[in-house]
Amino acid sequence: MNRQDRLEAVAMTEYDWAYSLVDSSRVSTFLISILLIVYGSFRSLNIDQEERERKEREEDRDNLLPTPPSGQNAAGQPGTENGVVIDTSQAMFLPIGASVSLLVMFFFFDSMQMVFAVCTAVLATVAFAFLLLPMCQYLMRPCSTGTKISFGICGRFTSAEIMSFCLSVMLVFMWVMTGHWLLMDALAMGLCVTMIAFVRLPSLKVSTLLLTGLLIYDVFWVFFSTYIFNANVMVRVATRPADNPVGVIARRLDLPNVAKDAPKLSLPGKLIFPSMHSAGHFSMLGLGDIVMPGLLLCFVLRYDNWKRQTAEPALPPAMIPHGSLAQKVTYFHCSLIGYFVGLLTATVSSEVYKNAQPALLYLVPFTLLPLVIMAYLKGDLKRMWHEPFIKTKSNNPYQEV
């Protein structure tokens, strides 16, 4: 090898991290994670809209003014049918609960992997049915009136809901029988969209507490768990495959051929995209790195929508002139750009340091800090910090805005 060839080889090695950014696995991770957050956020907004329209129809039918429970409203707050709202105490203790769950899976995975696999399959079935529901509603619209069919104690469901559930069951069955990574990714996508759509952050204060706690949680279990447990607990749990329930049952029934063919299952707690250019190389992103920033983006999307509907003045007056380009940038767009930059930074760091990186270490600052700065400049920080969707008219009554 001559001197010129050696210099080119050194240059290629130094910039391997840059070439890896345009690898198919990296590009797929970027696109899918952003699409999941956007889609889940708009599904959440659509659920709110459908709930408001349903209440308006009931109001017109009954000629009565609805009175929400004390301290709550119909825009996705506690006590509504729209979803689960995380309060301050839950935001503070959620990282602790996540740490306990992680330790349980680390120490007792072998003895409880059957339980983990079955519970994951059930949750993934429901979540993927929710993901498929709009498509099924579109397909069933010409031949269905939307009438709900009763299934006794199970409840009443439309034909579109039944169709989406059946398709979801088929997909989970195929995943159990094949263990294919693409089917696992599809189920993980359903879990992401469902959590973003149904779990609500009521204020910027709760969002900050939750994301800051999870940032510390992510950093500790990725960087420091090795010094305590002699293993990277986060990576070990995320990549450990579980025994196939079909294989376990086949061994119990003494069916060696069936047990032999049953593949190990990689649980859909992450998204995995193999590289098309480098055999054996893949990109992995945990669901928490999509869902938790996604909850913040869902909150700011709902706030943008609420602000457009109410058109209330900023408190205090905005520092950015009204009508300027910066004033036209929505909080959702600001946070979405921050998420992309944070994910790009995390990817570069993992390639430079050649080891797993806590993605929330980069995602949280790049999504939260620009949002806080923009809210301050626009004069919305005080309102966003507290619960902006609840407005008091008198002592107790609340009005939906």
Side-chain angles (χ1 to χ4, degrees), residues 290-323:
I290 302 173
V291 172
M292 295 308 162
L295 295 180
L296 175 65
L297 270 79
C298 181
F299 164 73
V300 297
L301 178 65
R302 292 169 59 225
Y303 183 82
D304 286 333
N305 183 65
W306 175 86
K307 190 177 179 181
R308 282 193 299 269
Q309 292 177 350
T310 58
E312 291 194 6
L315 297 173
M319 300 174 64
I320 301 176
H322 184 72

PDB file of all heavy atoms in Angstrom, residues 290-323:
ATOM      1  N   ILE A 290     -38.870   7.471  22.277  1.00  0.00           N
ATOM      2  CA  ILE A 290     -39.877   8.015  21.364  1.00  0.00           C
ATOM      3  C   ILE A 290     -41.081   8.523  22.142  1.00  0.00           C
ATOM      4  O   ILE A 290     -41.563   9.636  21.918  1.00  0.00           O
ATOM      5  CB  ILE A 290     -40.319   6.946  20.340  1.00  0.00           C
ATOM      6  CG1 ILE A 290     -39.116   6.435  19.545  1.00  0.00           C
ATOM      7  CG2 ILE A 290     -41.394   7.482  19.419  1.00  0.00           C
ATOM      8  CD1 ILE A 290     -39.446   5.270  18.632  1.00  0.00           C
ATOM      9  N   VAL A 291     -41.553   7.711  23.079  1.00  0.00           N
ATOM     10  CA  VAL A 291     -42.803   8.029  23.772  1.00  0.00           C
ATOM     11  C   VAL A 291     -42.656   9.236  24.692  1.00  0.00           C
ATOM     12  O   VAL A 291     -43.510  10.141  24.676  1.00  0.00           O
ATOM     13  CB  VAL A 291     -43.294   6.805  24.566  1.00  0.00           C
ATOM     14  CG1 VAL A 291     -44.483   7.177  25.453  1.00  0.00           C
ATOM     15  CG2 VAL A 291     -43.670   5.679  23.622  1.00  0.00           C
ATOM     16  N   MET A 292     -41.589   9.287  25.504  1.00  0.00           N
ATOM     17  CA  MET A 292     -41.483  10.356  26.496  1.00  0.00           C
ATOM     18  C   MET A 292     -41.324  11.742  25.864  1.00  0.00           C
ATOM     19  O   MET A 292     -42.052  12.663  26.218  1.00  0.00           O
ATOM     20  CB  MET A 292     -40.337  10.051  27.467  1.00  0.00           C
ATOM     21  CG  MET A 292     -40.610   8.812  28.306  1.00  0.00           C
ATOM     22  SD  MET A 292     -42.239   8.920  29.119  1.00  0.00           S
ATOM     23  CE  MET A 292     -42.526   7.206  29.543  1.00  0.00           C
ATOM     24  N   PRO A 293     -40.402  11.937  24.905  1.00  0.00           N
ATOM     25  CA  PRO A 293     -40.428  13.223  24.192  1.00  0.00           C
ATOM     26  C   PRO A 293     -41.724  13.418  23.405  1.00  0.00           C
ATOM     27  O   PRO A 293     -42.201  14.540  23.242  1.00  0.00           O
ATOM     28  CB  PRO A 293     -39.221  13.138  23.252  1.00  0.00           C
ATOM     29  CG  PRO A 293     -38.324  12.111  23.867  1.00  0.00           C
ATOM     30  CD  PRO A 293     -39.238  11.119  24.489  1.00  0.00           C
ATOM     31  N   GLY A 294     -42.312  12.305  22.932  1.00  0.00           N
ATOM     32  CA  GLY A 294     -43.572  12.393  22.204  1.00  0.00           C
ATOM     33  C   GLY A 294     -44.705  12.937  23.056  1.00  0.00           C
ATOM     34  O   GLY A 294     -45.584  13.649  22.563  1.00  0.00           O
ATOM     35  N   LEU A 295     -44.703  12.615  24.349  1.00  0.00           N
ATOM     36  CA  LEU A 295     -45.723  13.152  25.247  1.00  0.00           C
ATOM     37  C   LEU A 295     -45.597  14.669  25.366  1.00  0.00           C
ATOM     38  O   LEU A 295     -46.599  15.387  25.442  1.00  0.00           O
ATOM     39  CB  LEU A 295     -45.606  12.510  26.633  1.00  0.00           C
ATOM     40  CG  LEU A 295     -45.896  11.011  26.717  1.00  0.00           C
ATOM     41  CD1 LEU A 295     -45.733  10.524  28.156  1.00  0.00           C
ATOM     42  CD2 LEU A 295     -47.297  10.693  26.210  1.00  0.00           C
ATOM     43  N   LEU A 296     -44.353  15.157  25.392  1.00  0.00           N
ATOM     44  CA  LEU A 296     -44.140  16.612  25.427  1.00  0.00           C
ATOM     45  C   LEU A 296     -44.639  17.254  24.142  1.00  0.00           C
ATOM     46  O   LEU A 296     -45.309  18.301  24.176  1.00  0.00           O
ATOM     47  CB  LEU A 296     -42.654  16.909  25.636  1.00  0.00           C
ATOM     48  CG  LEU A 296     -42.265  18.394  25.586  1.00  0.00           C
ATOM     49  CD1 LEU A 296     -42.899  19.152  26.747  1.00  0.00           C
ATOM     50  CD2 LEU A 296     -40.751  18.554  25.614  1.00  0.00           C
ATOM     51  N   LEU A 297     -44.324  16.663  22.996  1.00  0.00           N
ATOM     52  CA  LEU A 297     -44.783  17.223  21.727  1.00  0.00           C
ATOM     53  C   LEU A 297     -46.296  17.158  21.603  1.00  0.00           C
ATOM     54  O   LEU A 297     -46.914  18.059  21.022  1.00  0.00           O
ATOM     55  CB  LEU A 297     -44.117  16.494  20.556  1.00  0.00           C
ATOM     56  CG  LEU A 297     -42.793  17.098  20.099  1.00  0.00           C
ATOM     57  CD1 LEU A 297     -41.650  16.697  21.024  1.00  0.00           C
ATOM     58  CD2 LEU A 297     -42.466  16.712  18.668  1.00  0.00           C
ATOM     59  N   CYS A 298     -46.895  16.103  22.141  1.00  0.00           N
ATOM     60  CA  CYS A 298     -48.357  16.012  22.152  1.00  0.00           C
ATOM     61  C   CYS A 298     -48.952  17.141  22.991  1.00  0.00           C
ATOM     62  O   CYS A 298     -49.954  17.754  22.607  1.00  0.00           O
ATOM     63  CB  CYS A 298     -48.777  14.654  22.695  1.00  0.00           C
ATOM     64  SG  CYS A 298     -50.567  14.403  22.742  1.00  0.00           S
ATOM     65  N   PHE A 299     -48.335  17.437  24.134  1.00  0.00           N
ATOM     66  CA  PHE A 299     -48.807  18.534  24.983  1.00  0.00           C
ATOM     67  C   PHE A 299     -48.736  19.873  24.256  1.00  0.00           C
ATOM     68  O   PHE A 299     -49.694  20.661  24.273  1.00  0.00           O
ATOM     69  CB  PHE A 299     -47.980  18.582  26.276  1.00  0.00           C
ATOM     70  CG  PHE A 299     -48.114  19.875  27.037  1.00  0.00           C
ATOM     71  CD1 PHE A 299     -49.270  20.176  27.733  1.00  0.00           C
ATOM     72  CD2 PHE A 299     -47.069  20.804  27.029  1.00  0.00           C
ATOM     73  CE1 PHE A 299     -49.394  21.378  28.429  1.00  0.00           C
ATOM     74  CE2 PHE A 299     -47.183  22.002  27.710  1.00  0.00           C
ATOM     75  CZ  PHE A 299     -48.353  22.288  28.412  1.00  0.00           C
ATOM     76  N   VAL A 300     -47.611  20.157  23.595  1.00  0.00           N
ATOM     77  CA  VAL A 300     -47.473  21.458  22.937  1.00  0.00           C
ATOM     78  C   VAL A 300     -48.375  21.545  21.705  1.00  0.00           C
ATOM     79  O   VAL A 300     -48.846  22.644  21.357  1.00  0.00           O
ATOM     80  CB  VAL A 300     -45.997  21.754  22.571  1.00  0.00           C
ATOM     81  CG1 VAL A 300     -45.158  21.840  23.825  1.00  0.00           C
ATOM     82  CG2 VAL A 300     -45.430  20.719  21.616  1.00  0.00           C
ATOM     83  N   LEU A 301     -48.655  20.414  21.051  1.00  0.00           N
ATOM     84  CA  LEU A 301     -49.600  20.447  19.939  1.00  0.00           C
ATOM     85  C   LEU A 301     -50.993  20.796  20.445  1.00  0.00           C
ATOM     86  O   LEU A 301     -51.710  21.607  19.822  1.00  0.00           O
ATOM     87  CB  LEU A 301     -49.624  19.095  19.219  1.00  0.00           C
ATOM     88  CG  LEU A 301     -50.604  18.979  18.053  1.00  0.00           C
ATOM     89  CD1 LEU A 301     -50.208  19.934  16.932  1.00  0.00           C
ATOM     90  CD2 LEU A 301     -50.680  17.552  17.532  1.00  0.00           C
ATOM     91  N   ARG A 302     -51.390  20.201  21.549  1.00  0.00           N
ATOM     92  CA  ARG A 302     -52.690  20.529  22.140  1.00  0.00           C
ATOM     93  C   ARG A 302     -52.716  21.992  22.589  1.00  0.00           C
ATOM     94  O   ARG A 302     -53.743  22.675  22.478  1.00  0.00           O
ATOM     95  CB  ARG A 302     -52.983  19.599  23.310  1.00  0.00           C
ATOM     96  CG  ARG A 302     -53.212  18.149  22.898  1.00  0.00           C
ATOM     97  CD  ARG A 302     -53.232  17.210  24.082  1.00  0.00           C
ATOM     98  NE  ARG A 302     -54.276  17.581  25.010  1.00  0.00           N
ATOM     99  CZ  ARG A 302     -54.110  17.651  26.333  1.00  0.00           C
ATOM    100  NH1 ARG A 302     -52.920  17.391  26.856  1.00  0.00           N
ATOM    101  NH2 ARG A 302     -55.102  17.967  27.109  1.00  0.00           N
ATOM    102  N   TYR A 303     -51.585  22.482  23.103  1.00  0.00           N
ATOM    103  CA  TYR A 303     -51.535  23.883  23.519  1.00  0.00           C
ATOM    104  C   TYR A 303     -51.639  24.812  22.310  1.00  0.00           C
ATOM    105  O   TYR A 303     -52.342  25.835  22.367  1.00  0.00           O
ATOM    106  CB  TYR A 303     -50.251  24.167  24.297  1.00  0.00           C
ATOM    107  CG  TYR A 303     -50.182  25.583  24.809  1.00  0.00           C
ATOM    108  CD1 TYR A 303     -50.830  25.944  25.983  1.00  0.00           C
ATOM    109  CD2 TYR A 303     -49.501  26.571  24.096  1.00  0.00           C
ATOM    110  CE1 TYR A 303     -50.797  27.250  26.448  1.00  0.00           C
ATOM    111  CE2 TYR A 303     -49.463  27.884  24.551  1.00  0.00           C
ATOM    112  CZ  TYR A 303     -50.106  28.207  25.728  1.00  0.00           C
ATOM    113  OH  TYR A 303     -50.081  29.507  26.174  1.00  0.00           O
ATOM    114  N   ASP A 304     -50.942  24.508  21.226  1.00  0.00           N
ATOM    115  CA  ASP A 304     -51.050  25.310  20.008  1.00  0.00           C
ATOM    116  C   ASP A 304     -52.499  25.376  19.533  1.00  0.00           C
ATOM    117  O   ASP A 304     -52.996  26.441  19.144  1.00  0.00           O
ATOM    118  CB  ASP A 304     -50.174  24.723  18.896  1.00  0.00           C
ATOM    119  CG  ASP A 304     -48.686  24.971  19.125  1.00  0.00           C
ATOM    120  OD1 ASP A 304     -48.349  25.964  19.789  1.00  0.00           O
ATOM    121  OD2 ASP A 304     -47.873  24.162  18.649  1.00  0.00           O
ATOM    122  N   ASN A 305     -53.163  24.222  19.556  1.00  0.00           N
ATOM    123  CA  ASN A 305     -54.552  24.177  19.117  1.00  0.00           C
ATOM    124  C   ASN A 305     -55.455  24.979  20.048  1.00  0.00           C
ATOM    125  O   ASN A 305     -56.333  25.728  19.613  1.00  0.00           O
ATOM    126  CB  ASN A 305     -55.017  22.723  19.054  1.00  0.00           C
ATOM    127  CG  ASN A 305     -56.434  22.585  18.539  1.00  0.00           C
ATOM    128  OD1 ASN A 305     -56.725  22.904  17.393  1.00  0.00           O
ATOM    129  ND2 ASN A 305     -57.334  22.120  19.396  1.00  0.00           N
ATOM    130  N   TRP A 306     -55.222  24.835  21.359  1.00  0.00           N
ATOM    131  CA  TRP A 306     -56.000  25.585  22.359  1.00  0.00           C
ATOM    132  C   TRP A 306     -55.778  27.079  22.212  1.00  0.00           C
ATOM    133  O   TRP A 306     -56.719  27.880  22.303  1.00  0.00           O
ATOM    134  CB  TRP A 306     -55.590  25.115  23.751  1.00  0.00           C
ATOM    135  CG  TRP A 306     -56.214  25.879  24.880  1.00  0.00           C
ATOM    136  CD1 TRP A 306     -57.426  25.647  25.464  1.00  0.00           C
ATOM    137  CD2 TRP A 306     -55.657  26.998  25.575  1.00  0.00           C
ATOM    138  NE1 TRP A 306     -57.652  26.547  26.473  1.00  0.00           N
ATOM    139  CE2 TRP A 306     -56.583  27.388  26.567  1.00  0.00           C
ATOM    140  CE3 TRP A 306     -54.453  27.707  25.456  1.00  0.00           C
ATOM    141  CZ2 TRP A 306     -56.343  28.455  27.421  1.00  0.00           C
ATOM    142  CZ3 TRP A 306     -54.222  28.772  26.313  1.00  0.00           C
ATOM    143  CH2 TRP A 306     -55.163  29.133  27.282  1.00  0.00           C
ATOM    144  N   LYS A 307     -54.548  27.486  21.948  1.00  0.00           N
ATOM    145  CA  LYS A 307     -54.240  28.911  21.813  1.00  0.00           C
ATOM    146  C   LYS A 307     -54.906  29.504  20.577  1.00  0.00           C
ATOM    147  O   LYS A 307     -55.381  30.656  20.608  1.00  0.00           O
ATOM    148  CB  LYS A 307     -52.728  29.092  21.747  1.00  0.00           C
ATOM    149  CG  LYS A 307     -52.277  30.539  21.851  1.00  0.00           C
ATOM    150  CD  LYS A 307     -50.763  30.641  21.864  1.00  0.00           C
ATOM    151  CE  LYS A 307     -50.321  32.104  21.952  1.00  0.00           C
ATOM    152  NZ  LYS A 307     -48.850  32.238  21.940  1.00  0.00           N
ATOM    153  N   ARG A 308     -54.954  28.738  19.488  1.00  0.00           N
ATOM    154  CA  ARG A 308     -55.625  29.231  18.285  1.00  0.00           C
ATOM    155  C   ARG A 308     -57.127  29.410  18.517  1.00  0.00           C
ATOM    156  O   ARG A 308     -57.739  30.348  17.998  1.00  0.00           O
ATOM    157  CB  ARG A 308     -55.408  28.266  17.109  1.00  0.00           C
ATOM    158  CG  ARG A 308     -54.047  28.369  16.459  1.00  0.00           C
ATOM    159  CD  ARG A 308     -54.031  27.630  15.135  1.00  0.00           C
ATOM    160  NE  ARG A 308     -54.311  26.218  15.314  1.00  0.00           N
ATOM    161  CZ  ARG A 308     -53.383  25.287  15.501  1.00  0.00           C
ATOM    162  NH1 ARG A 308     -52.102  25.647  15.557  1.00  0.00           N
ATOM    163  NH2 ARG A 308     -53.710  24.026  15.643  1.00  0.00           N
ATOM    164  N   GLN A 309     -57.713  28.518  19.315  1.00  0.00           N
ATOM    165  CA  GLN A 309     -59.149  28.585  19.553  1.00  0.00           C
ATOM    166  C   GLN A 309     -59.526  29.712  20.514  1.00  0.00           C
ATOM    167  O   GLN A 309     -60.572  30.338  20.366  1.00  0.00           O
ATOM    168  CB  GLN A 309     -59.652  27.249  20.102  1.00  0.00           C
ATOM    169  CG  GLN A 309     -59.587  26.114  19.094  1.00  0.00           C
ATOM    170  CD  GLN A 309     -60.033  24.792  19.688  1.00  0.00           C
ATOM    171  OE1 GLN A 309     -60.227  24.667  20.895  1.00  0.00           O
ATOM    172  NE2 GLN A 309     -60.193  23.791  18.842  1.00  0.00           N
ATOM    173  N   THR A 310     -58.681  29.961  21.514  1.00  0.00           N
ATOM    174  CA  THR A 310     -59.024  30.961  22.521  1.00  0.00           C
ATOM    175  C   THR A 310     -58.515  32.348  22.171  1.00  0.00           C
ATOM    176  O   THR A 310     -59.140  33.347  22.516  1.00  0.00           O
ATOM    177  CB  THR A 310     -58.447  30.561  23.887  1.00  0.00           C
ATOM    178  OG1 THR A 310     -57.021  30.410  23.773  1.00  0.00           O
ATOM    179  CG2 THR A 310     -59.051  29.242  24.359  1.00  0.00           C
ATOM    180  N   ALA A 311     -57.354  32.420  21.501  1.00  0.00           N
ATOM    181  CA  ALA A 311     -56.742  33.696  21.100  1.00  0.00           C
ATOM    182  C   ALA A 311     -56.587  34.638  22.286  1.00  0.00           C
ATOM    183  O   ALA A 311     -56.835  35.836  22.197  1.00  0.00           O
ATOM    184  CB  ALA A 311     -57.578  34.371  20.003  1.00  0.00           C
ATOM    185  N   GLU A 312     -56.152  34.089  23.444  1.00  0.00           N
ATOM    186  CA  GLU A 312     -55.945  34.925  24.623  1.00  0.00           C
ATOM    187  C   GLU A 312     -54.601  35.637  24.533  1.00  0.00           C
ATOM    188  O   GLU A 312     -53.640  35.107  23.967  1.00  0.00           O
ATOM    189  CB  GLU A 312     -56.000  34.075  25.895  1.00  0.00           C
ATOM    190  CG  GLU A 312     -57.387  33.532  26.195  1.00  0.00           C
ATOM    191  CD  GLU A 312     -57.474  32.994  27.608  1.00  0.00           C
ATOM    192  OE1 GLU A 312     -56.503  33.152  28.365  1.00  0.00           O
ATOM    193  OE2 GLU A 312     -58.527  32.430  27.955  1.00  0.00           O
ATOM    194  N   PRO A 313     -54.484  36.847  25.105  1.00  0.00           N
ATOM    195  CA  PRO A 313     -53.214  37.581  25.050  1.00  0.00           C
ATOM    196  C   PRO A 313     -52.148  36.904  25.899  1.00  0.00           C
ATOM    197  O   PRO A 313     -52.443  36.176  26.850  1.00  0.00           O
ATOM    198  CB  PRO A 313     -53.579  38.957  25.624  1.00  0.00           C
ATOM    199  CG  PRO A 313     -54.765  38.702  26.482  1.00  0.00           C
ATOM    200  CD  PRO A 313     -55.533  37.600  25.818  1.00  0.00           C
ATOM    201  N   ALA A 314     -50.896  37.151  25.543  1.00  0.00           N
ATOM    202  CA  ALA A 314     -49.779  36.567  26.283  1.00  0.00           C
ATOM    203  C   ALA A 314     -49.652  37.223  27.649  1.00  0.00           C
ATOM    204  O   ALA A 314     -49.970  38.395  27.835  1.00  0.00           O
ATOM    205  CB  ALA A 314     -48.485  36.742  25.503  1.00  0.00           C
ATOM    206  N   LEU A 315     -49.235  36.442  28.638  1.00  0.00           N
ATOM    207  CA  LEU A 315     -49.010  36.929  30.008  1.00  0.00           C
ATOM    208  C   LEU A 315     -47.604  36.541  30.447  1.00  0.00           C
ATOM    209  O   LEU A 315     -47.344  35.357  30.678  1.00  0.00           O
ATOM    210  CB  LEU A 315     -50.041  36.311  30.960  1.00  0.00           C
ATOM    211  CG  LEU A 315     -51.512  36.658  30.710  1.00  0.00           C
ATOM    212  CD1 LEU A 315     -52.386  35.842  31.619  1.00  0.00           C
ATOM    213  CD2 LEU A 315     -51.736  38.140  30.926  1.00  0.00           C
ATOM    214  N   PRO A 316     -46.678  37.468  30.631  1.00  0.00           N
ATOM    215  CA  PRO A 316     -46.758  38.906  30.303  1.00  0.00           C
ATOM    216  C   PRO A 316     -46.699  39.137  28.797  1.00  0.00           C
ATOM    217  O   PRO A 316     -46.560  38.179  28.045  1.00  0.00           O
ATOM    218  CB  PRO A 316     -45.510  39.453  30.999  1.00  0.00           C
ATOM    219  CG  PRO A 316     -44.553  38.314  30.969  1.00  0.00           C
ATOM    220  CD  PRO A 316     -45.379  37.064  31.151  1.00  0.00           C
ATOM    221  N   PRO A 317     -46.777  40.387  28.339  1.00  0.00           N
ATOM    222  CA  PRO A 317     -46.742  40.640  26.900  1.00  0.00           C
ATOM    223  C   PRO A 317     -45.521  40.021  26.239  1.00  0.00           C
ATOM    224  O   PRO A 317     -44.430  39.976  26.810  1.00  0.00           O
ATOM    225  CB  PRO A 317     -46.708  42.180  26.823  1.00  0.00           C
ATOM    226  CG  PRO A 317     -47.343  42.627  28.103  1.00  0.00           C
ATOM    227  CD  PRO A 317     -46.969  41.601  29.130  1.00  0.00           C
ATOM    228  N   ALA A 318     -45.709  39.546  25.023  1.00  0.00           N
ATOM    229  CA  ALA A 318     -44.639  38.848  24.306  1.00  0.00           C
ATOM    230  C   ALA A 318     -43.485  39.782  23.995  1.00  0.00           C
ATOM    231  O   ALA A 318     -43.677  40.960  23.707  1.00  0.00           O
ATOM    232  CB  ALA A 318     -45.194  38.247  23.024  1.00  0.00           C
ATOM    233  N   MET A 319     -42.263  39.229  24.072  1.00  0.00           N
ATOM    234  CA  MET A 319     -41.062  39.980  23.717  1.00  0.00           C
ATOM    235  C   MET A 319     -40.808  39.943  22.218  1.00  0.00           C
ATOM    236  O   MET A 319     -40.021  40.723  21.696  1.00  0.00           O
ATOM    237  CB  MET A 319     -39.864  39.421  24.478  1.00  0.00           C
ATOM    238  CG  MET A 319     -40.005  39.494  25.992  1.00  0.00           C
ATOM    239  SD  MET A 319     -38.644  38.679  26.858  1.00  0.00           S
ATOM    240  CE  MET A 319     -37.266  39.692  26.342  1.00  0.00           C
ATOM    241  N   ILE A 320     -41.468  38.992  21.511  1.00  0.00           N
ATOM    242  CA  ILE A 320     -41.333  38.882  20.064  1.00  0.00           C
ATOM    243  C   ILE A 320     -42.462  39.674  19.423  1.00  0.00           C
ATOM    244  O   ILE A 320     -43.621  39.507  19.789  1.00  0.00           O
ATOM    245  CB  ILE A 320     -41.387  37.410  19.619  1.00  0.00           C
ATOM    246  CG1 ILE A 320     -40.269  36.605  20.278  1.00  0.00           C
ATOM    247  CG2 ILE A 320     -41.298  37.295  18.114  1.00  0.00           C
ATOM    248  CD1 ILE A 320     -40.312  35.128  19.952  1.00  0.00           C
ATOM    249  N   PRO A 321     -42.176  40.553  18.480  1.00  0.00           N
ATOM    250  CA  PRO A 321     -43.229  41.356  17.846  1.00  0.00           C
ATOM    251  C   PRO A 321     -44.301  40.486  17.209  1.00  0.00           C
ATOM    252  O   PRO A 321     -44.006  39.462  16.587  1.00  0.00           O
ATOM    253  CB  PRO A 321     -42.472  42.170  16.789  1.00  0.00           C
ATOM    254  CG  PRO A 321     -41.051  42.168  17.248  1.00  0.00           C
ATOM    255  CD  PRO A 321     -40.838  40.885  17.962  1.00  0.00           C
ATOM    256  N   HIS A 322     -45.551  40.889  17.380  1.00  0.00           N
ATOM    257  CA  HIS A 322     -46.663  40.149  16.793  1.00  0.00           C
ATOM    258  C   HIS A 322     -46.590  40.206  15.269  1.00  0.00           C
ATOM    259  O   HIS A 322     -46.368  41.257  14.680  1.00  0.00           O
ATOM    260  CB  HIS A 322     -47.991  40.733  17.273  1.00  0.00           C
ATOM    261  CG  HIS A 322     -49.175  39.947  16.784  1.00  0.00           C
ATOM    262  ND1 HIS A 322     -49.495  38.703  17.272  1.00  0.00           N
ATOM    263  CD2 HIS A 322     -50.104  40.242  15.828  1.00  0.00           C
ATOM    264  CE1 HIS A 322     -50.573  38.262  16.652  1.00  0.00           C
ATOM    265  NE2 HIS A 322     -50.968  39.177  15.781  1.00  0.00           N
ATOM    266  N   GLY A 323     -46.782  39.050  14.629  1.00  0.00           N
ATOM    267  CA  GLY A 323     -46.741  38.976  13.182  1.00  0.00           C
ATOM    268  C   GLY A 323     -45.374  38.669  12.614  1.00  0.00           C
ATOM    269  O   GLY A 323     -45.237  38.475  11.399  1.00  0.00           O
TER     270      GLY A 323
END
